[in-house]
Amino acid sequence: MQRAGCCLLYNICIGNVEIERTIVNSGGVTAILKALDTFATDSTIQEAGCIALHNLCAKSAENRKLAAKEEAIQRVIRAMKECSGSASVQEAACKAIINLTAKNMPNKILLGEQDGINVLLKTIQRYANNPVVMEAAVTALRNVSNKCINNINIIKVQSRLNILLTALENSLQHCQQNTAIQKAGCDIISYACVDKEFVNNYSDLTLTSIYNRLISDSYALPSRNS
């Protein structure tokens, strides 16, 4: 019943702002979060709930604010932790994060404070061979780090960046047809490399070598000597 309810919510609100508004005003976000709380380890409900949040927050800044106020971000992060072995939950949760944090700096910062960066990196590490999950996770990480110095500082700790670089290198072999992964990976590295001291102090050439393998004509890594 709970899964059916979440599925109904995410299906009927796709692309219809008026229906979205009606759902939200009727307590739809609260109902979704209650289902996520009640069935925290049920992968089918977690997936459905995350997709519903993804759709409700796709085009509405107000829905993003409301969802964050009701601690939707914490629920999505928990879903990723509790259902780490479910590729479908990881994909749905990452897509929910993309929309929950779109053009919303407080939500980006909140995600970082709630261990969201580490959780995304674990998903990237675990699903580096899965192009669908990898694209969603790397895109989510790119979005939450874009113009967010708090999250960039978390990512560029060497142990975390090494996880990202290793997964991106692996994806070049297993997900080479997915340019979205490569472009998102380039963006994340570029955000970290805005800090030239970080670029100069990075301990080896892994950063440059992997970036150069990902790079397209639209991207450029700041020179270590510039």
Side-chain angles (χ1 to χ4, degrees), residues 120-163:
L120 283 170
L121 285 171
K122 286 180 181 178
T123 296
I124 288 169
Q125 185 177 39
R126 181 167 189 164
Y127 291 94
N129 298 346
N130 184 319
V132 176
V133 177
M134 187 69 170
E135 179 180 347
V138 176
T139 301
L141 189 65
R142 177 192 61 191
N143 287 12
V144 301
S145 58
N146 185 18
K147 299 181 181 179
C148 182
I149 189 66
N150 299 57
N151 290 344
I152 292 170
N153 286 337
I154 296 172
I155 293 168
K156 71 184 184 183
V157 171
Q158 185 165 333
S159 59
R160 296 191 182 99
L161 190 59
N162 283 342
I163 290 173

Side-chain angles (χ1 to χ4, degrees), residues 1 14 29 36 57 84 87 94 103 114-116 118 120 122-123 132 153 157 174 186 194 201 203 206 218:
M1 180 65 72
I14 295 175
V29 172
L36 293 177
C57 296
S84 60
C94 289
K103 299 180 181 179
Q114 296 295 321
D115 199 36
N118 286 324
L120 283 170
K122 286 180 181 178
T123 296
V132 176
N153 286 337
V157 171
H174 299 280
C186 285
V194 169
N201 291 339
S203 64
T206 303
S218 302

Side-chain angles (χ1 to χ4, degrees), residues 7-194:
C7 289
L8 177 63
L9 286 176
Y10 79 64
N11 281 325
I12 66 176
C13 70
I14 295 175
N16 192 312
V17 176
E18 289 302 318
I19 291 178
E20 285 182 10
R21 185 176 295 113
T22 300
I23 290 171
V24 171
N25 290 341
S26 302
V29 172
T30 301
I32 293 167
L33 298 181
K34 184 177 180 180
L36 293 177
D37 284 343
T38 304
F39 301 95
T41 60
D42 186 319
S43 61
T44 58
I45 291 177
Q46 296 301 307
E47 178 189 0
C50 287
I51 294 174
L53 289 172
H54 163 76
N55 288 340
L56 285 172
C57 296
K59 298 180 180 180
S60 173
E62 287 304 313
N63 287 356
R64 291 174 201 137
K65 292 178 183 179
L66 174 63
K69 183 178 180 181
E70 296 197 22
E71 301 186 352
I73 291 173
Q74 289 89 327
R75 269 44 171 254
V76 171
I77 292 171
R78 184 186 63 198
M80 296 180 73
K81 290 180 177 179
E82 294 290 342
C83 303
S84 60
S86 170
S88 58
V89 172
Q90 299 303 308
E91 180 192 359
C94 289
K95 288 182 176 180
I97 287 171
I98 290 169
N99 284 352
L100 281 163
T101 59
K103 299 180 181 179
N104 190 308
M105 189 60 66
N107 286 5
K108 292 182 181 183
I109 294 172
L110 176 61
L111 180 128
E113 292 173 344
Q114 296 295 321
D115 199 36
I117 300 299
N118 286 324
V119 172
L120 283 170
L121 285 171
K122 286 180 181 178
T123 296
I124 288 169
Q125 185 177 39
R126 181 167 189 164
Y127 291 94
N129 298 346
N130 184 319
V132 176
V133 177
M134 187 69 170
E135 179 180 347
V138 176
T139 301
L141 189 65
R142 177 192 61 191
N143 287 12
V144 301
S145 58
N146 185 18
K147 299 181 181 179
C148 182
I149 189 66
N150 299 57
N151 290 344
I152 292 170
N153 286 337
I154 296 172
I155 293 168
K156 71 184 184 183
V157 171
Q158 185 165 333
S159 59
R160 296 191 182 99
L161 190 59
N162 283 342
I163 290 173
L164 174 63
L165 293 175
T166 300
L168 288 173
E169 185 173 33
N170 193 52
S171 76
L172 287 169
Q173 299 176 7
H174 299 280
C175 312
Q176 58 184 338
Q177 300 302 317
N178 193 321
T179 58
I181 295 173
Q182 298 168 18
K183 289 180 180 179
C186 285
D187 285 342
I188 297 167
I189 296 172
S190 293
Y191 301 154
C193 289
V194 169

Side-chain angles (χ1 to χ4, degrees), residues 195-203 223-226:
D195 181 348
K196 293 182 180 179
E197 182 180 356
F198 162 76
V199 177
N200 291 330
N201 291 339
Y202 198 78
S203 64
S223 168
R224 288 175 180 266
N225 299 319
S226 63

